[in-house]
Amino acid sequence: MTKIGIVGVGAVGSTFLYACLNRNFEANYILIDAFQPYSEAQAKDLNDAACAMASNGSVFCSGSYNDLKDAKIVVITASVKPKNDKLEDRMELLNDNAKLIKEIAENIKKSGFQGITIIASNPVDLMACIYKQVTKFDANKVISSGTILETARMKKFLSSKLNVKASSINGFVIGEHGSRCIVPYEKIRVGFSSLNDFLENKLIEKNYLNQLLEDVKNEAFVIISNKGITNFGIGESLAEITSAIIYDTQAVYSLGVELTNDYKAKGIYFGLPVILGRNGYKHLPKIELNRIQQKEFDNYSLEIKETAIRMLKDLKIDYQF
């Protein structure tokens, strides 16, 4: 049976596991958490859920990093808590989470793990960069959740505005998982129509598209301000990524991936649509953006790269971009 490891089994990690269970992913799940009694309790509860289902042979066990040697996938959701319990910017978590991810990366590397890593700890792209530089794993096997959640939120808002099913909207949010995300309107399609077609036919207004970007950026903090955390959207998104790997779907998702020589910030992790399957991700041809969005993409990614270099130096991690 496929083995899947999860590091951090709080709200996000447990939601991911429950989403996998309800998708009927039969696997041996290894739960690792800084608080072992908590991971043991989560495993017991999830085993109860599996045994309440008509047919699911999944097994949940509290374990250690040594158990990850033969895992196919490891998902990392571990994170420090925001100092004021209400996160206002994902970058607030940078310094403490960077130290945590370095430690996790060293332990996973030491275990002999050779599979694919999915990182959801914020700020996700910087954490993926640190993890990759510590482990020296192949870049295509280190993935951050990137802008998959921003893409879902973009589709949510457009679905409501246009009265069309979200799955009928084709397009992606790119860039940073956060305030520096970009919605490339010209690339988004509903059926055979672009958003520009909707503009020209006065079915939407330019002001709406400007507000759409702000709504996508701010939605996480609207949720956090009222319930303290976002867990269902990201939990389901992580299950979707896992599904694509397990079933080798070769489907396209907007994920945090290492930028190639085609981009000015080569080596940094940033959100792009890529093809995902059992061996990790594969790049699509470079996206052609309009002049303004290309400048934003380049400037934002170079800012992230500067921050990554500073963090890697502070943590005394040998790096190569």
Side-chain angles (χ1 to χ4, degrees):
M1 190 157 52
T2 300
K3 181 183 283 189
I4 298 174
I6 173 80
V7 182
V9 290
V12 174
S14 59
T15 303
F16 157 71
L17 290 168
Y18 194 59
C20 288
L21 186 63
N22 282 291
R23 283 170 173 250
N24 214 30
F25 294 166
E26 286 198 346
N28 178 11
Y29 295 94
I30 304 298
L31 283 60
I32 299 172
D33 197 274
F35 304 97
Q36 188 171 351
Y38 184 78
S39 66
E40 291 172 353
Q42 290 281 47
K44 289 176 182 293
D45 202 7
L46 285 160
N47 280 321
D48 288 348
C51 292
M53 299 174 71
S55 178
N56 191 304
S58 292
V59 177
F60 298 85
C61 302
S62 175
S64 69
Y65 288 103
N66 290 334
D67 297 316
L68 301 180
K69 181 177 181 179
D70 56 345
K72 169 69 175 176
I73 297 167
V74 169
V75 177
I76 302 174
T77 67
S79 176
V80 297
K81 288 186 177 181
K83 289 181 173 58
N84 62 1
D85 287 330
K86 285 205 173 180
L87 185 65
E88 295 179 358
D89 187 331
R90 296 172 184 87
M91 296 299 280
E92 292 175 19
L93 303 172
L94 176 58
N95 292 328
D96 290 339
N97 269 355
K99 296 173 186 174
L100 177 63
I101 291 298
K102 179 187 178 186
E103 180 183 345
I104 290 170
E106 289 170 343
N107 284 320
I108 290 176
K109 175 77 171 178
K110 195 183 300 181
S111 76
F113 173 71
Q114 297 292 319
I116 296 172
T117 307
I118 306 166
I119 298 172
S121 307
N122 278 313
V124 290
D125 292 319
L126 284 162
M127 295 305 103
C129 184
I130 290 168
Y131 180 92
K132 194 266 181 181
Q133 294 296 330
V134 171
T135 61
K136 310 302 181 190
F137 291 157
D138 291 342
N140 66 298
K141 290 188 175 183
V142 177
I143 301 166
S144 98
S145 54
T147 47
I148 191 171
L149 195 46
E150 278 85 358
T151 297
R153 288 168 177 157
M154 177 268 290
K155 291 182 178 183
K156 175 179 70 174
F157 291 125
L158 278 176
S159 171
S160 176
K161 176 69 174 178
L162 303 177
N163 194 27
V164 62
K165 196 172 183 179
S167 59
S168 295
I169 299 169
N170 297 305
F172 303 92
V173 179
I174 61 174
E176 182 198 28
H177 174 53
S179 60
R180 289 168 287 197
C181 67
I182 298 167
V183 180
Y185 305 115
E186 296 91 343
K187 306 291 185 182
I188 297 171
R189 296 283 186 275
V190 182
F192 201 59
S193 301
S194 71
L195 289 190
N196 282 342
D197 295 328
F198 283 87
L199 278 172
E200 290 174 7
N201 286 276
K202 302 188 186 312
L203 297 173
I204 55 176
E205 298 176 349
K206 183 65 176 176
N207 287 343
Y208 170 77
L209 293 182
N210 293 335
Q211 187 59 48
L212 175 63
L213 175 59
E214 294 306 311
D215 289 343
V216 168
K217 289 180 181 180
N218 295 328
E219 185 72 346
F221 306 111
V222 172
I223 296 169
I224 290 169
S225 68
N226 288 294
K227 62 171 277 191
I229 194 170
T230 61
N231 59 303
F232 293 118
I234 185 59
E236 186 63 38
S237 295
L238 292 170
E240 183 70 19
I241 296 168
T242 301
S243 174
I245 295 167
I246 290 174
Y247 298 120
D248 194 28
T249 62
Q250 302 297 307
V252 176
Y253 300 95
S254 191
L255 304 173
V257 297
E258 189 177 79
L259 297 185
T260 64
N261 290 328
D262 293 328
Y263 299 90
K264 288 189 176 180
K266 174 186 177 292
I268 194 65
Y269 273 70
F270 219 46
L272 284 175
V274 291
I275 304 167
L276 188 61
R278 70 161 60 96
N279 295 316
Y281 67 83
K282 295 180 291 186
H283 278 279
L284 290 161
K286 185 177 183 292
I287 299 173
E288 295 299 325
L289 300 170
N290 66 41
R291 181 180 57 82
I292 293 173
Q293 290 179 338
Q294 187 63 61
K295 185 176 181 181
E296 289 177 338
F297 187 96
D298 292 341
N299 288 344
Y300 294 165
S301 57
L302 286 169
E303 287 176 23
I304 292 292
K305 187 168 187 175
E306 287 179 7
T307 303
I309 290 171
R310 176 175 59 81
M311 291 304 308
L312 290 164
K313 287 180 177 178
D314 288 348
L315 293 168
K316 296 180 171 55
I317 298 169
D318 292 332
Y319 66 92
Q320 184 174 10
F321 290 131

